[in-house]
Amino acid sequence: VLLDGNGDFWLDESGNFQLDTKGVEAFIDELASEYNTVGTTLAYEATRGDIVDVKYVTYGTELDTEAEKEYLKNAFANRVKEVHTPAYLKEGYARGKNDIGDTYIEVDMGNQKLYAYKEGQLLLETDIVTGNMKRKWNTPEGVNFIYAKQKKRVLRGPGYATPVDFWMPVKGSIGLHDADWRKEFGGDIYLTNGSHGCVNIPPEIMPTIYEEFEIGTPVIMFY
């Protein structure tokens, strides 16, 4: 809104607020630049101790700036007094500048480890096997999220049909699942005998991950 020389709201002859529409739009744009994460890069402090730059891929927060500009203009014009929840084009699992929050899954593919954090505490860690590097089936890096959960799924691809007990996809056909055909996990297995791209998890560990983490949970994946 515009202010008069006394610092009071400037009203027209009918008593309506005189809006500084450019100021309203600039305010919303500033909020978006401060809180939006879609298309940005996360400086993530990995469990192993270093800072890793991980691009937001399927996960992120994006304010609906056009809807919010219109809302704010109308709210001032109608003198609305309320607590307003913003509209989003894409909404992260957690609110605020840190939209990862304190419940997420870390997939450290360089060390072939998975760390599962819940409410700020390390719930579990496990050795894993990711995509076969020799065949160029590398598991992709990125900040993703669990977008579905399914039990008793048959995973299919060129030349294979593999039943799993627990399936949690995070990016297209890439996901977390149990792998009861493997006797060993971790180490350098992924370099020559890795998966088709998914994250293979020991069958005794996967049920806990499935039960403890909801759809929407961020999954941070990097080498």
Side-chain angles (χ1 to χ4, degrees):
V1 293
L2 295 175
L3 303 178
D4 62 20
N6 297 318
D8 296 321
F9 292 132
W10 180 26
L11 308 178
D12 64 15
E13 294 179 355
S14 300
N16 297 316
F17 285 124
Q18 296 301 291
L19 285 174
D20 177 3
T21 55
K22 290 185 178 180
V24 168
E25 292 178 357
F27 172 71
I28 296 299
D29 287 337
E30 183 178 348
L31 283 181
S33 67
E34 190 172 355
Y35 288 92
N36 284 1
T37 58
V38 169
T40 67
T41 298
L42 172 69
Y44 176 68
E45 185 175 353
T47 302
R48 66 194 186 199
D50 59 339
I51 302 295
V52 185
D53 291 332
V54 191
K55 185 177 180 180
Y56 279 83
V57 178
T58 64
Y59 183 78
T61 299
E62 184 175 6
L63 191 69
D64 187 338
T65 55
E66 294 308 311
E68 286 307 297
K69 289 174 183 177
E70 190 65 24
Y71 164 80
L72 196 54
K73 292 173 187 176
N74 289 333
F76 275 123
N78 295 297
R79 306 188 186 189
V80 174
K81 295 181 180 180
E82 65 179 7
V83 176
H84 174 64
T85 300
Y88 295 92
L89 296 174
K90 189 172 184 130
E91 189 171 358
Y93 188 73
R95 289 186 182 275
K97 295 180 181 178
N98 171 20
D99 65 354
I100 300 299
D102 59 7
T103 295
Y104 58 90
I105 293 172
E106 172 187 328
V107 181
D108 180 348
M109 297 180 289
N111 288 329
Q112 293 292 283
K113 289 279 192 180
L114 180 148
Y115 302 93
Y117 289 90
K118 190 164 187 179
E119 297 178 354
Q121 301 297 315
L122 179 61
L123 180 67
L124 63 85
E125 66 177 273
T126 182
D127 291 332
I128 55 175
V129 176
T130 59
N132 190 317
M133 300 285 278
K134 184 177 181 180
R135 291 182 175 269
K136 301 188 184 303
W137 293 339
N138 311 32
T139 302
E141 297 183 80
V143 183
N144 298 300
F145 70 100
I146 298 168
Y147 71 82
K149 293 173 66 173
Q150 187 177 2
K151 294 182 179 180
K152 301 298 182 183
R153 170 70 182 266
V154 177
L155 305 180
R156 300 181 185 277
Y160 72 91
T162 305
V164 298
D165 289 332
F166 301 96
W167 169 238
M168 300 171 76
V170 300
K171 182 181 184 293
S173 61
I174 303 298
L176 317 177
H177 64 77
D178 50 299
D180 62 5
W181 56 91
R182 292 192 182 276
K183 303 304 179 186
E184 295 181 349
F185 293 82
D188 295 332
I189 296 171
Y190 77 112
L191 296 178
T192 57
N193 190 29
S195 71
H196 290 88
C198 287
V199 180
N200 289 180
I201 296 171
E204 67 274 15
I205 299 294
M206 191 62 203
T208 301
I209 297 175
Y210 188 91
E211 295 299 331
E212 293 288 342
F213 293 92
E214 304 174 338
I215 291 174
T217 301
V219 182
I220 306 168
M221 309 165 69
F222 57 89
Y223 287 92

